[in-house]
Amino acid sequence: MAALPRRIIKETQRLLQEPVPGISAVPDDANARYFHVIVTGPEDSPFEGGLFKLELFLPEDYPMSAPKVRFITKIYHPNIDRLGRICLDILKDKWSPALQIRTVLLSIQALLSAPNPDDPLANDVAELWKVNEVEAIRNAKEWTRRYAMDN
Amino acid sequence: MASILEIIFELINNMLQFFRLGKKSISNSLNIYIKSNTGSTLSIELDPKWDIKNVKEVIAPKLGLPPNEVKIIFAGKELDDSITIEECDLGEQSILHAVQSRSQSKRSRPLSESVANLQLSNISENDDSSSTIEEQLESSEEKGIKNTHFYVYCSQPCKSVRVGKLRVRCANCHSGALTVDSDPSCWDDVLKSNRITAHCEETRCETGPVSFAEFFFKCAEHTSQGEKDEAVPLYLIRPNISHVPCLACTDISDPVLVFSCEERHVTCLDCFRQYCVTRLRERQFVSDDRLGYTLPCPAGCENSLIEECHHFRLLTSEQYQMYQRFGAEEYVLKAGGVLCPQPGCGAGIIIDTDCKRVQCVGGCGVRSH
């Protein structure tokens, strides 16, 4: 395997030394481009109290290409589908090499606080979120309790 | 004992030097053309150690003028008597302009110094086109040249990105016998026309003596091939004076590529190449009607498209060929044309609106419907 670019080494060191509150990202022992991520559900959101596991992979041409990020823990969210894929502009066409792992994870955390049903990935969830937000939030809390706590 | 020998040796050496200077014999000569504003051209051998006063003494008799009535103009500046040839970034077969003048105008330091505070006098002449700009820069530093300020694409004969030098001529008559009224203070002064006024000494110039300066660039790494030998300025490549880290790899390199967005985002040249190749493979270049096939700042800033497409000459030749091919394909598709589907052909065909049957005539001859 090619040597790890200095930027990735620096980002990893900083993630470990000064972690973002509510987010932990640890590189895999066998693959320094693969990160085990845990995001705490933000306060005052239906995901509060949950610990969400994600995987983050830095492709070969990172930072020219965006990191690949996916939720492993099941989550009831209009912008995250059943496979854990995330609909977030900075992971796609709005990616810029000026962004970092840190900023990506912060954006994902912010997405949990502010679901956007008008740009859905999980259509059924988004639909319910629009027509009956109370029930959608109740589902989200239920999923958080069932899948994102005590495991 | 050794010290006495050294002193004697130094004495002899000094005497020899005095002797050499006195006879104006040339140890390390530079072949220079002197152009006068009356139309004649002289070819002379100069010693880089000579000052402008020496030069005047040599050329004045040949022009039939007293030395104190000769003005020497180079790159938009009348050179002061005390400046030595090696302080100007004169290359082999450069042209100096000699004009007759009784009046004493303001004399100044060479343009290379006043604009960029640097000298490019002894750039190597070797054309190792396989080495990268960074390598060339390193080798330049070894030879005592620091902070090279201009980069150009030299299409002939180097065919690659090179260190460049700034030159100036009259916007009207294109004569180099011109002194600028002020130094350019920004790239717009250099790249846009009619921003800096100048005094043209060319007797045949119609607008003279007051004219506009027209700046242009030459490749500093091959012997000048005359007045038409120009190079394209790659003005986004700049020395990293304030040590800005690359936005992609965060290393601090020199030189760097500075994008034209408001934030002036910076990438190192390696990351720029990687950025281009990634975007090229994903076909994410922008086809701009005015600028052609180009890229914005990697941070996606507004108004940051690269206007001078020769910057993509930083790519390797295979990558640049890919850039050219993709650019041409995008253009054909945008113009409503089609590409030949035969593998390895891919010729672009613009079809007539009422045509139902297409044959790739110039390319591979494959027919399709």
Side-chain angles (χ1 to χ4, degrees), chain B residues 36-56:
Chain B
S36 79
N37 58 337
T38 54
S40 60
T41 304
L42 302 170
S43 169
I44 59 164
E45 298 258 306
L46 296 179
D47 186 322
K49 298 264 183 269
W50 288 2
D51 60 23
I52 294 301
K53 196 162 183 285
N54 295 145
V55 176
K56 287 179 180 173

Side-chain angles (χ1 to χ4, degrees), chain A residues 92-123:
Chain A
K92 300 193 171 71
D93 56 323
K94 288 285 187 294
W95 169 254
S96 144
L99 299 170
Q100 300 181 6
I101 301 172
R102 173 180 292 266
T103 41
V104 165
L105 295 177
L106 274 168
S107 299
I108 291 171
Q109 202 181 33
L111 190 67
L112 296 185
S113 292
N116 179 11
D118 293 323
D119 183 21
L121 196 61
N123 282 318

Side-chain angles (χ1 to χ4, degrees), chain A residues 6-7 10 60-65 93 95-98 100, chain B residues 247-251 271-272 274-275 278-279 282 298-300:
Chain A
R6 199 126 60 102
R7 155 146 176 178
K10 275 198 224 167
E60 184 58 40
D61 49 2
Y62 178 82
M64 290 308 158
S65 297
D93 56 323
W95 169 254
S96 144
Q100 300 181 6
Chain B
L247 72 80
C249 70
T250 68
D251 290 346
C271 285
F272 175 71
Q274 210 196 335
Y275 170 59
T278 308
R279 289 296 167 100
E282 294 169 1

Side-chain angles (χ1 to χ4, degrees), chain B residues 70-348:
Chain B
V70 177
K71 283 208 278 193
I72 301 284
I73 296 175
F74 176 63
K77 298 291 179 122
E78 183 190 345
L79 299 178
D80 190 84
D81 279 354
S82 63
I83 295 171
T84 61
I85 294 298
E86 62 186 354
E87 283 178 279
C88 314
D89 57 339
L90 271 180
E92 189 74 16
Q93 293 174 19
S94 292
I95 297 169
L96 287 177
H97 293 268
V99 300
Q100 188 182 10
S101 155
R102 281 176 191 85
S103 65
Q104 286 285 323
S105 61
K106 201 183 101 201
R107 293 175 183 179
S108 43
R109 305 296 298 168
L111 186 70
S112 57
E113 276 185 31
S114 51
V115 170
N117 192 25
L118 72 129
Q119 299 161 22
L120 293 168
S121 49
N122 39 0
I123 285 283
S124 67
E125 300 281 315
N126 63 352
D127 287 342
D128 183 7
S129 54
S130 64
S131 67
T132 67
I133 273 290
E134 293 92 328
E135 284 164 5
Q136 283 165 22
L137 197 76
E138 271 168 32
S139 67
S140 305
E141 270 172 4
E142 280 163 22
K143 287 170 192 135
I145 309 160
K146 285 180 197 124
N147 293 337
T148 307
H149 279 241
F150 303 113
Y151 297 91
V152 294
Y153 176 69
C154 174
S155 58
Q156 277 299 336
C158 303
K159 294 192 178 68
S160 83
V161 178
R162 291 291 196 227
V163 170
K165 44 192 186 183
L166 178 63
R167 293 292 179 261
V168 61
R169 63 191 166 207
C170 171
N172 178 55
C173 71
H174 291 190
S175 163
L178 163 115
T179 50
V180 291
D181 294 334
S182 59
D183 291 331
S185 58
C186 59
W187 273 99
D188 275 357
D189 284 350
V190 172
L191 298 172
K192 294 183 179 167
S193 50
N194 297 358
R195 287 179 63 114
I196 303 275
T197 54
H199 189 89
C200 183
E201 301 280 355
E202 178 61 54
T203 46
R204 288 163 299 176
C205 181
E206 285 157 13
T207 59
V210 176
S211 183
F212 280 108
E214 182 178 276
F215 293 93
F216 63 103
F217 287 82
K218 291 175 88 87
C219 170
E221 300 185 50
H222 70 262
T223 302
S224 175
Q225 298 178 334
E227 285 177 319
K228 294 214 160 57
D229 180 17
E230 287 183 37
V232 189
L234 302 182
Y235 50 87
L236 299 180
I237 308 176
R238 297 182 195 173
N240 194 359
I241 301 162
S242 40
H243 307 290
V244 182
C246 167
L247 72 80
C249 70
T250 68
D251 290 346
I252 295 167
S253 336
D254 196 17
V256 288
L257 199 119
V258 183
F259 286 87
S260 54
C261 53
E262 252 175 57
E263 290 82 357
R264 296 273 180 268
H265 282 128
V266 163
T267 64
C268 66
L269 300 187
D270 276 340
C271 285
F272 175 71
R273 291 186 191 101
Q274 210 196 335
Y275 170 59
C276 293
V277 170
T278 308
R279 289 296 167 100
L280 207 49
R281 291 211 179 105
E282 294 169 1
R283 297 253 179 179
Q284 279 186 337
F285 268 57
V286 177
S287 282
D288 186 90
D289 289 338
R290 186 172 62 90
L291 305 174
Y293 203 49
T294 187
L295 275 180
C297 163
C301 304
E302 281 179 20
N303 303 321
S304 62
L305 288 176
I306 294 174
E307 299 203 5
E308 176 53 77
C309 286
H310 283 93
H311 283 101
F312 299 115
R313 286 285 186 178
L314 280 167
L315 298 170
T316 65
S317 57
E318 289 109 66
Q319 290 164 346
Y320 189 76
Q321 276 172 17
M322 182 159 85
Y323 162 77
Q324 285 183 309
R325 197 176 76 236
F326 285 13
E329 286 175 5
E330 292 293 331
Y331 182 81
V332 169
L333 294 174
K334 215 175 162 184
V338 292
L339 302 172
C340 175
Q342 173 85 344
C345 177

Side-chain angles (χ1 to χ4, degrees), chain B residues 1-6:
Chain B
M1 188 65 185
S3 63
I4 293 169
L5 268 177
E6 265 171 34

